[in-house]
């Protein structure tokens, strides 16, 4: 993708792209368990490639999530178009490299120039990151967590450097796999955002996927024909057995099916084009509801009469013959589902900090969190934001009971 | 190591662990829990109002057997009456044995049984004949598509004959999950837009259909049948290996191994899919030939039969192939997803 951008910006091209790009490379070696030497080597290789492209570049290590501010999780309003007229874009396609199937190579984002934050991440941060990732029980949840943290990090970089758009290098094949994976993870409500061309749930920064019409094969051929250099690093799921995670399974399955029915990937892609970014029944006539803490989509956990609310409840609660025995990870879900819609109060009484975070997550993120036995290793910005939101929610709840001291109206107590 | 105590009654030894939650329960408590959940599904979704005459699609397989049994237990509480309707597709060596099982069940439970046969309803076409007719057309026979559509029509016809007000089928959560996967893999936006609810309310003269076992996982259905010692027919349809659903089923098994809640997550996703209005099927009207519910001029069953009778079996399958005189490019509209005869014969929806 980077090469395409380069070409698009060059003077010779017929339709010249009009933006000023920068490139971000996220170094995820700590999450993948790489040794410091390997990481340094990979980063150096990446630097070489990026330097040759000539755009401003930034290398960020995943450890920096520990120093992110909670404002990353807030959806800010879009900034009005500035006087320059041109929009800037941050390019990141190296991340796709991580899932390289061995034979194909993809173009890298630019090598970073000296980053604003000086020096490699501290050992303490690296250790915190590896603690976090090793505390996650399943590979599926690990991959999802990695994806979330990476998104937040890139978002933060984009915001601090003033970029309004982030371009991701997802190809058609990758998006088809991603679509089916999201489906299996319970993110059916958000497919349009996860796999569509533009993703504006973060407000001021828009994520776009310009490569979504190109299959992996085409990308491989392009890279080979035009000698696009690339760097390979192991990912979280490298060398994992096929059945280890949902992502791996889906990838293997789709590629196998593609061999038998050659139209599989394009069919799934075409179906993804028909998805719209709206709740199913068009019931969001009013203001959109609260957003998920991690993925920033409008929460899709419904009131109790949805089928899966019931299903989740029965899978964690005992039959009503005996008083239920509280189970460690499930009472929050069952609590939220019994009773009428506003059942948040009951959660407060049990397992406060965990319940507080869980109830702010969408269905997919909740299922992931089940694989995280303790929320403590999470980066502080997530926990801080969760705290803030629940405090705000509590404040709103008591708002109606507060008596206001209004001088400009008749003395009339507030409603109770 | 002795089995732990039942987590619910704490008296008996636990005999199983529930697949989804891992709770240890004794047989009685598990069956009670299962029945309670089905009851809740029906009551919360207001699926079967009191006084309903319910036609149970019975194929002799585990799902419909369990469904019939549970509904029979719950019938007094729900104030409904049951009829068994079995469909004879004319698959030699398979359907006869299944029907024998249904007859035994009907006798044991003292429920009235009606059998409707394809040959009688559809002008002499049995599934074997359909399979022969579609055999030469390429890599797959797609006879499962025919079977699903025609079976649903046959079920409806059988239900009408007994004067039923509702039709129930034994689809479980795994079936719903497979359907979603299958529809995505085949790009069937129309069915995706329609699916995912707890059944259909029955527009335009079609009887309301629902699936009370929709939230029960397949494993639990099998466990229930085991503990209640139900007699059912458990062989695979002879045409099942060729169905596309086999791929979706295999994928689902793998997903469930990686993450036990995968089935539930898929059902959750399916409920919340938002498709563009253009992709949704047009509001249904009536078939010009038989008067049944149809999205186009001809309902799917008539369109398929038309193709068979003309010697062009693939006429109504897929998009843009062939040309029926009455309409534009045919699609899979006007009927629900074809449930293939899989490991147990489940009436198609």
């Amino acid at each position: 993708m980077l090469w395409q951008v380069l070409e698009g910006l060059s003077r010779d091209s017929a339709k010249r792209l009009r933006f000023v790009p920068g490139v971000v490379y996220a170094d995820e070696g700590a999450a993948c368990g790489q040794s410091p030497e390997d990481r340094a080597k990979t980063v150096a290789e990446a630097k070489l490639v990026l330097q040759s492209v000539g755009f401003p570049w930034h290398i960020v290590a995943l450890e920096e999530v520990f120093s992110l501010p909670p404002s990353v999780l807030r959806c800010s309003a879009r900034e009005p178009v500035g006087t320059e007229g041109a929009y800037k874009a941050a390019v990141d396609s190296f991340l796709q490299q991580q899932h390289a199937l061995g034979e194909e190579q993809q173009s890298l984002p630019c090598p970073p120039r000296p980053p604003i934050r000086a020096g490699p991440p501290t050992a303490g941060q690296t250790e915190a990151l590896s603690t976090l990732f090793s505390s996650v029980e399943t590979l599926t949840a690990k991959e999802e967590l990695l994806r979330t943290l990476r998104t937040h990090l890139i978002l933060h970089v984009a915001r601090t450097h003033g970029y309004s758009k982030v371009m991701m290098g997802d190809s058609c094949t990758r998006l088809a796999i991603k679509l089916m994976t999201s489906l299996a993870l319970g993110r059916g409500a958000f497919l349009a955002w996860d796999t569509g061309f533009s993703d504006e749930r973060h407000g001021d920064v828009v994520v776009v996927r310009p490569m979504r019409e190109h299959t992996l094969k085409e990308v491989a051929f392009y890279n080979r024909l035009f000698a696009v250099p690339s760097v390979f690093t192991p990912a979280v799921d490298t060398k994992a057995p096929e059945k280890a995670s949902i992502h791996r399974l889906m990838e293997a399955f789709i590629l196998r099916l593609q061999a038998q029915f050659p139209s599989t990937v394009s069919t799934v892609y075409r179906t993804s084009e028909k998805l719209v970014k709206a709740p199913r029944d068009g019931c969001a006539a009013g203001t959109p509801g609260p957003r998920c803490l991690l993925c920033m989509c409008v929460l899709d956990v419904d009131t109790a009469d949805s089928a899966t609310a019931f299903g989740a409840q029965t899978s964690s609660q005992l039959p009503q013959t005996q008083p239920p025995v509280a189970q460690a990870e499930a009472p929050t879900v069952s609590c939220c589902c019994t009773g009428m819609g506003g059942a948040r109060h009951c959660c407060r009484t049990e397992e406060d900090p965990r319940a507080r975070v869980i109830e702010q997550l969408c269905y997919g993120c909740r299922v992931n969190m089940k694989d995280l036995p303790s929320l403590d290793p999470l980066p502080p910005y997530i926990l801080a934001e969760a705290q803030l939101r629940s405090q705000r929610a509590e404040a709103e709840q008591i708002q109606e009971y507060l008596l206001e001291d209004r001088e400009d109206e008749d003395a009339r107590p507030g409603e109770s | 190591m002795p089995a732990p105590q039942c987590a619910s009654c704490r008296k008996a030894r636990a005999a199983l662990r529930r697949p989804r939650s891992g709770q240890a329960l004794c047989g009685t408590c598990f069956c009670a829990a299962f029945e309670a959940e089905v009851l809740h599904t029906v009551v919360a979704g207001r699926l079967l109002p009191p006084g309903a005459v319910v036609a149970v699609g019975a194929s002799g397989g585990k799902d419909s057997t369990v469904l019939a049994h549970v509904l029979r237990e719950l019938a007094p509480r729900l104030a409904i009456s049951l009829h068994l309707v079995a469909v004879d597709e004319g698959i030699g060596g398979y359907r006869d044995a299944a029907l024998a099982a249904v007859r035994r069940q009907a006798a044991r439970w003292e429920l009235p049984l009606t059998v409707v046969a394809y040959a009688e309803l559809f002008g002499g076409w049995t599934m074997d004949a359909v399979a022969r007719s579609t055999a030469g057309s390429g890599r797959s026979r797609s006879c499962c598509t025919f079977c699903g559509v025609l079976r649903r029509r046959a079920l409806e016809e059988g239900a009408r004959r007994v004067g039923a007000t509702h039709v129930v089928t034994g689809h479980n959560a795994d079936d719903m999950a497979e359907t979603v996967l299958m529809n995505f893999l085949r790009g069937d936006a129309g069915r995706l837009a329609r699916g995912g609810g707890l059944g259909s309310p029955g527009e335009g003269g079609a009887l309301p259909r629902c699936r009370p076992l929709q939230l029960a996982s397949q494993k639990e259905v099998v466990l229930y049948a085991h503990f209640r010692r139900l007699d059912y027919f458990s062989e695979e349809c002879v045409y099942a290996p060729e169905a596309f659903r086999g791929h979706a089923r295999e994928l689902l098994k793998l997903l469930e191994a990686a993450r036990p809640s995968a089935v539930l997550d898929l059902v959750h996703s399916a409920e919340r899919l938002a498709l563009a209005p253009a992709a949704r099927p047009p509001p249904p009207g009536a078939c010009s030939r038989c008067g049944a519910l149809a999205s186009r001029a001809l309902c799917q069953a008539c369109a398929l039969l038309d193709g068979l009778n003309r010697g062009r079996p693939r006429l109504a399958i897929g998009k843009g192939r062939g040309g029926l005189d009455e309409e534009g490019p045919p699609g899979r509209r006007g009927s629900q997803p074809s449930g293939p005869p899989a490991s147990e014969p489940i009436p198609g929806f």
Side-chain angles (χ1 to χ4, degrees):
Chain A
M1 180 169 68
L2 198 53
W3 242 244
Q4 291 254 290
V5 170
L6 201 57
E7 252 191 57
L9 284 171
S10 73
R11 270 165 242 227
D12 322 325
S13 69
K15 280 193 221 173
R16 208 176 143 180
L17 295 173
R18 300 170 57 85
F19 53 78
V20 179
V23 188
V24 168
Y25 164 53
D27 167 27
E28 298 169 3
C32 312
Q34 268 186 312
S35 67
E37 301 81 30
D38 284 337
R39 285 178 68 185
K41 197 164 71 119
T42 316
V43 169
E45 279 180 48
K47 260 191 210 170
L48 276 176
V49 176
L50 298 186
Q51 267 159 358
S52 62
V53 180
F55 296 141
W57 46 264
H58 318 272
I59 281 192
V60 281
L62 197 63
E63 285 87 337
E64 289 176 33
V65 292
F66 285 101
S67 45
L68 284 181
S71 58
V72 165
L73 296 175
R74 286 180 215 138
C75 171
S76 357
R78 273 193 108 127
E79 289 168 4
V81 177
T83 49
E84 316 153 279
Y87 58 88
K88 303 181 210 167
V91 174
D92 177 354
S93 63
F94 182 82
L95 306 172
Q96 308 316 313
Q97 184 68 35
Q98 308 239 342
H99 298 272
L101 288 175
E103 81 262 24
E104 71 249 351
Q105 325 246 320
Q106 300 214 18
S107 59
L108 268 190
C110 303
R113 266 199 217 124
I116 295 182
R117 276 189 264 307
T122 67
Q125 283 181 327
T126 311
E127 199 179 306
L129 195 66
S130 27
T131 317
L132 173 60
F133 276 92
S134 48
S135 76
V136 182
E137 287 166 6
T138 61
L139 187 58
T140 310
K142 242 184 246 198
E143 292 199 39
E144 284 294 298
L145 186 65
L146 183 63
R147 191 179 56 85
T148 311
L149 292 179
R150 181 200 298 153
T151 312
H152 293 168
L153 188 62
I154 294 181
L155 205 59
H156 180 74
V157 170
R159 278 194 181 133
T160 40
H161 295 276
Y163 292 110
S164 66
K165 292 199 174 37
V166 176
M167 290 163 70
M168 301 294 230
D170 294 302
S171 63
C172 181
T173 317
R174 294 269 170 239
L175 280 181
I177 296 173
K178 188 167 189 198
L179 186 109
M180 299 297 294
T181 312
S182 298
L183 203 63
L185 291 169
R187 297 182 58 85
F190 314 130
L191 290 177
W193 284 278
D194 284 344
T195 57
F197 174 67
S198 77
D199 175 6
E200 336 78 9
R201 53 187 138 141
H202 305 285
D204 52 346
V205 178
V206 181
V207 179
V208 295
R209 301 183 179 95
M211 303 275 286
R212 66 196 296 264
E213 308 241 334
H214 303 299
T215 60
L216 263 183
K217 220 172 192 177
E218 291 175 358
V219 173
F221 277 131
Y222 180 94
N223 287 354
R224 187 164 170 83
L225 289 174
F226 293 92
V228 176
S230 46
V231 175
F232 178 77
T233 60
V236 181
D237 64 345
T238 304
K239 284 199 196 160
E242 188 183 292
K243 305 210 172 123
S245 79
I246 301 232
H247 304 75
R248 285 285 261 196
L249 270 173
M250 204 50 95
E251 191 179 347
F253 177 80
I254 295 229
L255 293 172
R256 213 169 34 228
L257 206 63
Q258 174 81 0
Q260 201 178 348
F261 299 98
S263 59
T264 302
V265 167
S266 52
T267 305
V268 178
Y269 171 70
R270 293 270 158 254
T271 313
S272 83
E273 284 188 327
K274 295 186 186 151
L275 297 165
V276 290
K277 295 173 184 163
R280 186 185 169 95
D281 303 307
C283 52
T287 56
R291 288 177 172 258
C292 173
L293 185 66
L294 292 178
C295 64
M296 272 161 278
C297 296
V298 179
L299 285 187
D300 66 338
V301 184
D302 275 338
T303 52
D305 59 348
S306 108
T308 45
F310 173 67
Q313 171 194 355
T314 55
S315 69
S316 60
Q317 261 192 357
L318 286 173
Q320 308 301 327
T321 50
Q322 294 280 322
V325 175
Q327 279 184 340
E329 79 283 352
T332 54
V333 179
S334 59
C335 265
C336 284
C337 296
T338 52
M340 275 57 74
R344 293 171 165 231
H345 311 284
C346 60
C347 290
R348 286 272 140 60
T349 57
E350 343 176 15
E351 292 190 42
D352 229 18
R354 196 181 166 94
R356 204 191 334 226
V357 176
I358 298 248
E359 73 181 10
Q360 294 176 23
L361 298 177
C362 66
Y363 183 88
C365 294
R366 282 187 200 192
V367 178
N368 281 332
M369 281 300 132
K370 274 198 197 145
D371 290 336
L372 211 67
S374 148
L375 294 183
D376 298 325
L378 280 177
Y381 73 98
I382 296 180
L383 300 170
E385 180 68 15
Q387 177 99 347
L388 193 66
R389 284 193 196 183
S390 63
Q391 276 171 358
R392 204 183 299 151
E394 278 181 75
E396 271 172 22
Q397 273 171 6
I398 61 173
Q399 194 62 36
E400 51 178 310
Y401 298 103
L402 290 177
L403 295 178
E404 281 180 23
D405 191 11
R406 284 183 256 187
E407 291 156 358
D408 50 341
E409 288 181 294
D410 295 333
R412 195 171 153 257
E415 295 306 311
S416 68
Chain B
M1 195 176 115
Q5 266 196 330
C6 169
S8 160
C9 64
R10 292 180 206 283
K11 285 186 236 131
R13 285 249 163 258
L16 67 120
R17 275 194 188 278
R18 289 197 80 169
R20 248 180 227 162
S21 57
Q23 276 168 16
L25 293 174
C26 66
T28 336
C29 292
F30 168 68
C31 293
F34 189 85
E35 284 163 16
E37 284 161 22
V38 176
L39 182 63
H40 178 106
T41 310
V42 172
V43 167
R46 289 189 282 274
L47 300 176
L48 300 174
V53 179
V54 177
V56 179
S59 58
K62 65 168 179 9
D63 292 321
S64 53
T65 305
V66 166
L67 176 70
H69 188 265
V70 172
L71 282 183
R72 191 167 154 271
E73 301 279 320
L74 298 176
R77 224 180 309 183
L78 291 171
I80 55 178
S81 62
L82 299 176
H83 285 261
L84 293 179
V85 177
V87 176
D88 176 10
E89 302 105 343
I91 301 177
Y94 162 74
R95 188 43 84 189
D96 324 310
L99 280 181
V102 181
R103 292 206 167 91
R104 284 199 300 273
Q105 289 165 4
R108 192 176 317 128
W109 295 330
E110 290 157 13
L111 289 174
L113 167 66
T114 313
V115 180
V116 277
Y118 277 14
E120 169 208 341
L121 286 177
F122 302 126
W125 282 103
T126 62
M127 272 317 295
D128 286 337
V130 172
R132 274 194 300 273
S133 164
T134 55
S137 357
R139 48 168 197 252
S140 65
R141 272 200 265 211
S142 72
C143 50
C144 297
T145 308
F146 283 86
C147 191
V149 174
L150 296 178
R151 193 195 298 127
R152 192 196 136 244
R153 171 54 50 75
L155 198 57
E156 182 116 353
E157 181 57 37
R160 272 187 214 288
R161 282 189 194 171
V162 300
T165 54
H166 292 74
V167 176
V168 298
T169 49
H171 290 88
N172 55 40
D174 291 45
D175 290 324
M176 308 304 302
E178 282 167 22
T179 304
V180 166
L181 286 174
M182 191 172 80
N183 287 336
F184 249 104
L185 289 171
R186 296 174 82 152
D188 203 335
R191 289 215 172 102
L192 281 173
R194 215 186 285 128
L198 272 175
S200 98
E203 319 133 310
L207 291 174
R209 300 183 302 270
C210 65
R211 303 171 281 228
L213 294 185
Q214 192 172 351
L215 304 172
S217 74
Q218 185 154 300
K219 292 186 177 125
E220 301 211 330
V221 172
V222 177
L223 282 170
Y224 184 88
H226 169 80
F227 278 103
R228 289 285 196 219
R229 283 184 261 279
L230 298 177
D231 155 39
Y232 60 88
F233 179 71
S234 58
E235 280 178 29
E236 205 180 48
C237 172
V238 294
Y239 299 118
E242 297 160 28
F244 188 84
R245 189 173 277 250
H247 296 285
R249 183 160 296 187
E250 172 205 330
L251 177 63
L252 188 67
K253 292 259 170 296
L254 292 171
L255 288 176
E256 223 176 335
R259 183 173 264 202
S261 63
V263 174
L264 200 59
D265 298 340
L266 273 168
V267 175
H268 180 96
S269 294
E271 280 183 334
R272 285 164 180 72
L273 285 176
L275 282 148
R280 292 196 200 127
C287 170
S288 54
R289 212 173 275 185
C290 64
L293 199 63
S295 303
R296 301 177 166 274
L298 275 189
C299 68
Q300 187 69 355
C302 289
L304 287 176
L305 286 170
D306 219 23
L308 281 176
N309 286 328
R310 286 197 213 175
R312 293 167 65 197
R314 293 202 148 239
L315 201 55
I317 298 182
K319 298 193 185 101
R321 270 194 248 188
L324 293 171
D325 298 332
E326 299 85 346
E327 55 187 351
R332 286 194 206 91
R333 305 282 160 87
S335 67
Q336 291 293 319
S338 47
S343 52
E344 286 81 19
I346 300 168
F349 211 75

